[in-house]
Amino acid sequence: MPGTEVPSEPRDGRSAGPAPSQEMLRGTPVAGSIAPGLPVYGTAPGARDSAPERAPDGVRAAGSRPRDRAPACGDPERGSPDGGAPDTMGPMTAVSPSEPAAQSPARSRVSRRVAAIAESATLAVDAKAKALKAAGKPVIGFGAGEPDFPTPDYVVEAAVAACRQPAMHRYTPAGGLPVLKEAIVAKTARDSGLALTPAQVLVTNGGKQAVYEAFAAMLDPGDEVLVPAPYWTTYPEAIRLAGGVPVPVVADEESGYLVSVAQLEAARTERTKVLLFVSPSNPTGAVYPPDQVEAIGRWAAETGLWVLTDEIYEHLTYGGATAPSMPVLVPELADRCVVVNGVAKTYAMTGWRVGWIAGPADVVKAATNLQSHATSNVANVSQAAAVAALTGDLSAVDEMRTAFDRRRKTIVSMLREIPGVACPEPQGAFYVYPSVKALLGRPINGRTASSSAEFAEIVLEEAEVAVVPGEAFGTPGYVRMSYALGDDDLAEGVGRLQRLLGSAG
Ligand SMILES: Cc1ncc(COP(=O)(O)O)c(C=O)c1O
């Protein structure tokens, strides 16, 4: 693995302690990890070692007609070109009189690229709710996108055992412990029916880093990415950071928040390289039926697009809905399809920070090189915990899913009792995404919200209930509420909304 350092001897001459189990560091032969009969990743007809079929100037080489550009996501209202804080603090160190012109004050203090990144609205709402709670306010938070359950015991025990192994105290391969890569290969075959080899897997610091590194590995400056909206707040930022241009394709509650092939085709231009796909969705909880996943995958395959499919909520579906993996339904897409996944949502492991990229070996290798310079290996103890999670059964997630399903029904029926709130029933994840458009411009406790951002502020201040405004997800007029909180808190929180909003208008 390039760029990694795996010390085989203690470097300071001290004893390394009891001989560590080397199982964590050993790989198994690649061939043995391909389950027979499964679609094999990256071996679609015409598969090539090097990735995109694009001319060097970044324009699709052949077969696509030139189009007008679709509007890009949020570009005009990104941070000011100069970005960052006003230049009032002065330099940290003395500047010599002969300082070159390049150091002139006209230069922005924070790089424009990074200054343009918006704070994560979901984390901000959660932090505000937690701060108010810490100050003694009885705030009920619907903002956090994380299960309220503890990580299962057997996973925690595996981490404790790993802590005691000196081998786990060292650098390990940047791309992930071989034993974890094998577990991901086996889990992907078990849960999705997709055959991978360990060379097609990169273990990342959570799904977030997987999303960022996947886009960084796929995009050249100016490449457009179709992003179904409402979108998870991180996608556009990760795309922009990688030099790409997010192009939202909006689906509203009328279509169950599901984009159609016709909409995607209308947004495609000669600059479009990637389609972002996520089902179940954050923030809507929408789940694409298998025939629609297949239709979108076929369209992407036929038009030569790449797909980044985010499967992090794959196990959280309700009422008979399923979330099949796109490259399994459309095997000819596999050579241009990158899957993002992680343990956070399935095993209540948001704080452990383990996710992964699975995809064509060339993209995975490029992303691994990037990670080797950015962060190196994911914390070994967390990786050991992830091995336990992935090689264990799914009974813990079954229990959580039962609780989420119960809460889903409660929150949908309670929200639907509020005049002016339109709440589609989600089929997956643990979010509802009701429209509050009918409540905008109407008095709420003597105050009036003209946007969902103001609505969320009023609700937090008047009812001490935290929700995330739709502005964070590219669709103002809605709010996202996570129902991954205790049943009693959920009922109390929505009850407060009923009392506050019941009198609106
Ligand atoms: C759709 C989606 N993908 C990826 C992630 C990343 O999860 P993590 O970085 O915690 O693994 C999240 C987290 O909220 C998510 O909602």
Side-chain angles (χ1 to χ4, degrees):
M1 194 71 56
T4 60
E5 197 183 337
V6 187
S8 50
E9 300 286 342
R11 284 178 296 185
D12 54 8
R14 281 178 287 145
S15 158
S21 152
Q22 289 300 313
E23 271 173 32
M24 292 285 189
L25 296 169
R26 251 196 335 252
T28 53
V30 165
S33 58
I34 302 177
L38 298 176
V40 176
Y41 223 134
T43 54
R48 305 184 325 183
D49 325 357
S50 81
E53 290 175 8
R54 295 168 79 81
D57 62 356
V59 177
R60 197 187 316 285
S64 74
R65 58 214 144 103
R67 307 273 197 105
D68 291 338
R69 289 177 67 107
C73 182
D75 289 344
E77 75 271 11
R78 307 312 309 162
S80 89
D82 288 325
D87 192 359
T88 53
M89 289 174 62
M92 297 287 284
T93 52
V95 178
S96 85
S98 60
E99 196 71 28
Q103 296 297 318
S104 84
R107 278 248 153 137
S108 55
R109 289 170 56 80
V110 174
S111 84
R112 291 168 194 191
R113 185 170 41 88
V114 174
I117 301 171
E119 180 184 14
S120 164
T122 49
L123 294 185
V125 167
D126 191 43
K128 191 165 177 184
K130 282 180 177 150
L132 285 169
K133 230 175 178 169
K137 303 270 185 202
V139 170
I140 297 188
F142 289 89
E146 62 180 342
D148 58 319
F149 301 98
T151 301
D153 283 347
Y154 63 92
V155 174
V156 175
E157 291 311 323
V160 170
C163 275
R164 300 192 196 286
Q165 291 186 35
M168 297 288 98
H169 305 168
R170 307 293 188 212
Y171 290 131
T172 54
L177 294 175
V179 67
L180 178 53
K181 288 191 175 193
E182 289 291 350
I184 291 167
V185 166
K187 165 256 171 296
T188 307
R190 177 194 70 187
D191 298 346
S192 311
L194 182 66
L196 298 168
T197 67
Q200 292 175 299
V201 175
L202 165 62
V203 179
T204 59
N205 282 281
K208 249 181 197 173
Q209 191 180 20
V211 167
Y212 172 66
E213 290 179 351
F215 280 128
M218 286 191 286
L219 297 178
D220 277 317
D223 283 342
E224 292 179 357
V225 181
L226 301 182
V227 183
Y231 48 70
W232 178 44
T233 192
T234 287
Y235 295 137
E237 304 296 357
I239 293 165
R240 282 191 201 95
L241 266 177
V245 179
V247 177
V249 180
V250 179
D252 63 14
E253 63 275 30
E254 298 294 310
S255 63
Y257 301 118
L258 303 177
V259 295
S260 64
V261 168
Q263 279 182 290
L264 293 170
E265 177 59 16
R268 186 171 67 90
T269 74
E270 62 186 11
R271 306 286 306 172
T272 309
K273 181 168 182 191
V274 182
L275 164 70
L276 181 281
F277 185 79
V278 53
S279 174
S281 151
N282 175 6
T284 63
V287 179
Y288 283 80
D291 59 345
Q292 213 167 332
V293 178
E294 190 173 336
I296 291 173
R298 293 218 180 285
W299 167 81
E302 281 158 17
T303 52
L305 293 187
W306 285 68
V307 173
L308 187 158
T309 175
D310 184 339
E311 301 186 349
I312 205 152
Y313 295 102
E314 63 180 332
H315 289 294
L316 295 176
T317 57
Y318 316 105
T322 56
S325 184
M326 192 181 276
V328 174
L329 295 186
V330 188
E332 64 269 32
L333 187 63
D335 189 47
R336 287 197 312 271
C337 186
V338 174
V339 177
V340 165
N341 207 332
V343 294
K345 317 290 178 172
T346 304
Y347 302 98
M349 292 178 69
T350 46
W352 298 80
R353 311 311 303 138
V354 182
W356 59 89
I357 291 171
D362 52 355
V363 174
V364 167
K365 175 81 166 65
T368 305
N369 289 347
L370 168 61
Q371 180 163 302
S372 76
H373 292 292
T375 57
S376 298
N377 61 278
V378 172
N380 294 322
V381 169
S382 288
Q383 291 196 67
V387 171
L390 296 180
T391 55
D393 63 21
L394 291 166
S395 52
V397 66
D398 284 344
E399 277 172 39
M400 287 193 281
R401 186 175 37 232
T402 303
F404 290 146
D405 193 16
R406 185 177 65 240
R407 298 167 188 178
R408 173 182 75 112
K409 290 177 179 144
T410 306
I411 196 167
V412 169
S413 72
M414 287 184 77
L415 285 171
R416 283 180 174 173
E417 286 168 18
I418 303 175
V421 173
C423 187
E425 184 175 73
Q427 306 295 308
F430 37 63
Y431 309 103
V432 284
Y433 200 66
S435 165
V436 295
K437 287 179 209 160
L439 292 169
L440 303 182
R442 285 163 56 176
I444 301 168
N445 249 13
R447 300 171 67 179
T448 306
S450 62
S451 65
S452 41
E454 284 177 20
F455 175 87
E457 209 173 300
I458 291 174
V459 158
L460 183 56
E461 285 163 18
E462 302 293 326
E464 296 178 318
V465 167
V467 301
V468 188
E471 281 82 349
F473 311 106
T475 55
Y478 301 79
V479 294
R480 188 193 79 173
M481 297 174 70
S482 160
Y483 50 86
L485 74 173
D487 296 68
D488 292 345
D489 276 357
L490 185 147
E492 166 64 19
V494 188
R496 288 188 201 171
L497 292 183
Q498 288 182 331
R499 290 190 288 280
L500 177 70
L501 303 172
S503 59

